[in-house]
Amino acid sequence: MKLTFRRHELQLAHTWTIARSKGTNTSRVVVVELSGADGTTGLGESAPTARYKESADTVEAFLKKVDPRGLSFTDVDGSMEYLQTVSAHDMAAKCALNIALLDGAARRAKKPIYDFLGLGFRDKQHISSFTIGIDTPEVIKKKVLEAEHYPVLKVKVGTAGDQVNLQALRGVAPNKTVRADANEGWKTKEKALEMIEWLARDKHIEYVEQPLPASASPKDWAWLKQRSPLPIFGDESYHHAADIDRAVECFHGVNVKLVKTGGISAGLAALQAARKAGLKTMIGCMIETSILISAAAHLAELCDFMDVDGNVLITNDPYSGVTNENGVLSFASALEKNGLRVRAKNGMAPTA
């Protein structure tokens, strides 16, 4: 097995700001490619975030430690066990390798990943939200108008400007379905409840993600869950299937992201555990190319909600795969029929 990787700097269409970070216009990802002796290749992507003390540098440092002889398209589980011996952490880097392994494994089986995993994919049946980052009310209006063709918006909250920003959004989209994401922005359970009660007065708001810091006690989360007039979804608080008991106590639903879990395999397990426990499920993303977004889309059948817009928030996606036209996910026009169903836009296709 041969392992190569390269860094991409993604350009955002708008400055990206959430409750815990300053605005940025770029985001760095690392794309990996695995090549087997039989000519099979697999693509994967890492979109690391400082929230988990990861960066493009830490991803590349991990990848340099990996012995490709420990990886195999015919033994994805064993390959992931090997990667655990390299580091117990570095989930974003493991995510890239897991996706590449499954891409290659599904290509060898001549199936899309969603069929390789026995999930299927109902084309044009899954709707993704479109995210409106924190900004001034004037820019919020502009972003919402640009996103008028998307049926569902996700708005970032958790700052002092929440009320004026939502008012700006409603000034141009008074009845659109909205999901609110606080990104740990409200620091006490009392403040979180106050803000959720305010949000709930808007009858078109569907749920709230991560209103409290992940470090909040289970007791505080349970207190908030019991009183919240809107469903609460755990994001930063839910990483793996092993977190499910705490999630049941604290949340109505969970947001699974492949870069948190370590890839499709662990994401699949996290979603299945949540569904078995009776929680609502969603799959989310970071700022990503179509590699990671397509990888997430392969798990769509396990999700009640989708938030996979990272590739439509950028202007220089180097890959094509699942499409997101007006929020509707589709593989119908994907040039690749197997694996991830992703191809580089320069025309170079992975081989099987």
Side-chain angles (χ1 to χ4, degrees), residues 233-346:
F233 277 64
D235 178 354
E236 288 86 350
S237 293
Y238 187 70
H239 289 231
H240 306 106
D243 301 328
I244 193 60
D245 289 342
R246 185 173 186 269
V248 169
E249 181 183 1
C250 300
F251 308 112
H252 302 95
V254 292
N255 180 4
V256 171
K257 292 176 180 171
L258 301 187
V259 293
K260 288 188 307 185
T261 67
I264 292 175
S265 297
L268 172 66
L271 288 167
Q272 288 176 327
R275 290 172 68 86
K276 184 178 180 181
L279 296 180
K280 291 294 185 180
T281 55
M282 66 178 293
I283 195 159
C285 65
M286 307 297 185
I287 303 301
E288 304 169 353
T289 79
S290 285
I291 294 177
L292 255 170
I293 295 299
S294 296
H298 284 273
L299 299 179
E301 294 297 334
L302 295 176
C303 299
D304 297 298
F305 306 101
M306 302 290 292
D307 175 38
V308 288
D309 62 343
N311 59 337
V312 297
L313 296 173
I314 60 176
T315 61
N316 63 331
D317 186 355
Y319 298 91
S320 61
V322 71
T323 58
N324 178 346
E325 185 175 350
N326 301 333
V328 181
L329 301 181
S330 174
F331 280 104
S333 63
L335 297 176
E336 296 297 317
K337 301 304 178 187
N338 299 317
L340 272 176
R341 306 196 62 183
V342 168
R343 179 179 292 191
K345 287 182 178 177
N346 63 11

Side-chain angles (χ1 to χ4, degrees), residues 41-206:
T41 64
L43 284 174
E45 179 184 351
S46 175
T49 172
R51 170 62 180 80
Y52 303 117
K53 298 181 174 59
E54 295 180 314
S55 66
D57 289 339
T58 67
V59 169
E60 291 178 350
F62 176 89
L63 294 173
K64 290 174 182 177
K65 297 177 185 176
V66 172
D67 183 348
R69 292 174 296 181
L71 306 177
S72 171
F73 293 136
T74 61
D75 186 7
V76 175
D77 290 343
S79 299
M80 298 310 295
E81 290 175 6
Y82 159 66
L83 293 177
Q84 187 67 11
T85 69
V86 179
S87 167
H89 308 290
D90 296 286
M91 305 313 291
K94 291 176 184 176
C95 170
L97 290 170
N98 178 260
I99 293 170
L101 286 163
L102 282 169
D103 187 23
R107 284 179 176 281
R108 293 182 83 251
K110 300 190 184 307
K111 294 180 178 181
I113 287 177
Y114 51 74
D115 285 339
F116 183 73
L117 296 175
L119 300 174
F121 182 86
R122 290 170 297 147
D123 207 68
K124 298 183 180 179
Q125 296 298 309
H126 301 285
I127 307 296
S128 172
S129 55
F130 182 91
T131 307
I132 306 297
I134 294 168
D135 221 307
T136 65
E138 292 74 21
V139 176
I140 294 286
K141 289 180 181 179
K142 179 182 177 183
K143 290 179 178 179
V144 174
L145 286 171
E146 289 179 3
E148 65 179 336
H149 299 300
Y150 290 87
V152 181
L153 298 179
K154 177 162 123 172
V155 62
K156 296 290 187 177
V157 294
T159 71
D162 288 344
Q163 296 193 18
V164 293
N165 283 343
L166 184 60
Q167 184 178 18
L169 183 155
R170 284 302 183 215
V172 292
N175 298 313
K176 185 164 288 192
T177 298
V178 170
R179 301 161 184 171
D181 184 3
N183 287 115
E184 307 177 276
W186 300 317
K187 303 309 179 186
T188 68
K189 64 183 188 296
E190 293 83 7
K191 180 63 175 179
L193 180 60
E194 174 192 340
M195 297 306 294
I196 294 171
E197 288 176 338
W198 163 70
L199 286 168
R201 292 200 288 269
D202 183 325
K203 300 307 179 184
H204 298 287
I205 292 185
E206 209 163 18

Side-chain angles (χ1 to χ4, degrees), residues 1-20:
M1 183 79 76
K2 180 181 179 183
L3 165 63
T4 58
F5 55 89
R6 57 194 176 278
R7 187 180 302 203
H8 291 280
E9 185 161 290
L10 307 181
Q11 304 293 324
L12 285 141
H14 291 284
T15 300
W16 180 253
T17 306
I18 63 174
R20 64 168 177 262

